[in-house]
Amino acid sequence: MPKILVVDDEYRIRQIIRKYAEFEGYEVAEAVDGMQAIEVCRKNKYDLIIMDVMMPELDGFSACREIRKFCSSPIIMLSARGEEYDKIHGFELGSDDYVVKPFSPKELMMRVAAVIKRSGGGAEEQKRDVYTFKGLVIDFSARIVTVDGARVEMTPKEYELLFYMVRNKGLALTRESLISEVWGYDFFGDERTLDTHIKLLRKSLGAYSKCIVTLRGVGYRFEEVV
């Protein structure tokens, strides 16, 4: 049973999400602010975290930033603020989706299921799926990347971006297709977000950064460059 953590200072919101999540078969834990969310995430593993932005003690953005230092569980941000800047800020901090209040609980559950599926979580048994190119090893099932024997830590979006490009190695991937497949069709940011993640991904890959080839005016391609 997939486990999700609901972080919101409003009791009513937590109960609504719990009701719908448990109906869908999820195990639900709760936290009332960002500080408590960080504490429980250090002690437990969750398949997904639903995090409110505006909270006392520590806001959701700050909590997301801290949690990303030690946890790669997908995060869906909740906020009454729907400005583009806030959404971009959330994605840049490592969140996987952004839902504006007031929201439809049914739609939220659909987003939860989609994010968990994309992240590879919630499955009791997964067939081991590994890609290897010289010293670059990508374990899709375990979401582990190693470069010349050293494990590389990445943000969830870096993992998803790399996984998608490797799955489609040798193909020209347009910016639009990358944003749609990795961030979702309803992403409100711009192409700078993609470029920033490509830059971070290349840095993480070290000597294998050259495997990500820029296609001017089109997008990018992953190829096994010798």
Side-chain angles (χ1 to χ4, degrees):
M1 179 184 294
K3 296 174 61 177
I4 67 174
L5 173 65
V6 179
V7 188
D8 199 302
D9 60 315
E10 294 187 48
Y11 174 79
R12 181 179 62 86
I13 297 295
R14 297 199 309 273
Q15 291 307 298
I16 289 175
I17 296 175
R18 172 182 284 276
K19 176 182 177 181
Y20 278 82
E22 290 183 339
F23 180 79
E24 294 294 333
Y26 298 110
E27 180 180 340
V28 181
E30 298 180 21
V32 300
D33 57 49
M35 293 296 289
Q36 187 178 25
I38 295 171
E39 181 181 349
V40 298
C41 283
R42 290 188 184 279
K43 299 177 181 178
N44 305 281
K45 292 184 178 180
Y46 299 99
D47 294 288
L48 181 135
I49 302 167
I50 299 175
M51 178 89 69
D52 186 33
V53 172
M54 302 299 291
M55 295 184 292
E57 297 295 331
L58 190 67
D59 66 89
F61 285 147
S62 299
C64 179
R65 182 186 297 109
E66 292 302 311
I67 289 173
R68 276 290 166 260
K69 293 179 180 179
F70 61 88
C71 174
S72 61
S73 297
I75 297 176
I76 295 179
M77 305 298 295
L78 295 179
S79 177
R81 298 175 0 189
E83 288 80 3
E84 182 179 17
Y85 168 79
D86 294 307
K87 294 179 180 180
I88 292 175
H89 186 48
F91 287 125
E92 289 178 340
L93 289 174
S95 65
D96 296 80
D97 203 348
Y98 193 105
V99 176
V100 179
K101 294 180 178 180
F103 58 87
S104 162
K106 290 183 178 180
E107 179 185 348
L108 177 61
M109 289 302 105
M110 291 178 66
R111 288 175 179 262
V112 167
V115 172
I116 289 179
K117 182 179 180 180
R118 286 204 308 266
S119 69
E124 293 182 1
E125 293 185 6
Q126 295 181 332
K127 183 178 179 180
R128 191 173 181 84
D129 187 3
V130 179
Y131 164 83
T132 302
F133 172 59
K134 295 186 175 181
L136 175 63
V137 180
I138 301 173
D139 189 328
F140 295 97
S141 302
R143 289 174 70 84
I144 294 175
V145 177
T146 58
V147 174
D148 295 329
R151 182 168 175 174
V152 179
E153 296 296 336
M154 301 180 182
T155 66
K157 276 293 176 282
E158 282 182 78
Y159 281 119
E160 291 180 31
L161 184 58
L162 176 62
F163 290 0
Y164 181 73
M165 294 184 74
V166 173
R167 295 282 195 195
N168 294 276
K169 66 178 184 293
L171 300 179
L173 302 174
T174 65
R175 291 172 174 272
E176 293 77 13
S177 67
L178 286 168
I179 291 174
S180 176
E181 292 294 333
V182 178
W183 278 267
Y185 70 92
D186 56 352
F187 176 61
F188 291 97
D190 56 31
E191 295 181 353
R192 289 176 298 176
T193 299
L194 172 61
D195 293 335
T196 298
H197 281 77
I198 289 290
K199 182 178 180 180
L200 293 172
L201 186 55
R202 282 173 169 159
K203 183 178 180 181
S204 297
L205 293 178
Y208 297 93
S209 61
K210 58 186 177 182
C211 291
I212 299 178
V213 179
T214 300
L215 305 176
R216 296 190 181 280
V218 179
Y220 299 93
R221 178 179 64 238
F222 185 93
E223 60 182 54
E224 298 178 342
V225 178
V226 179

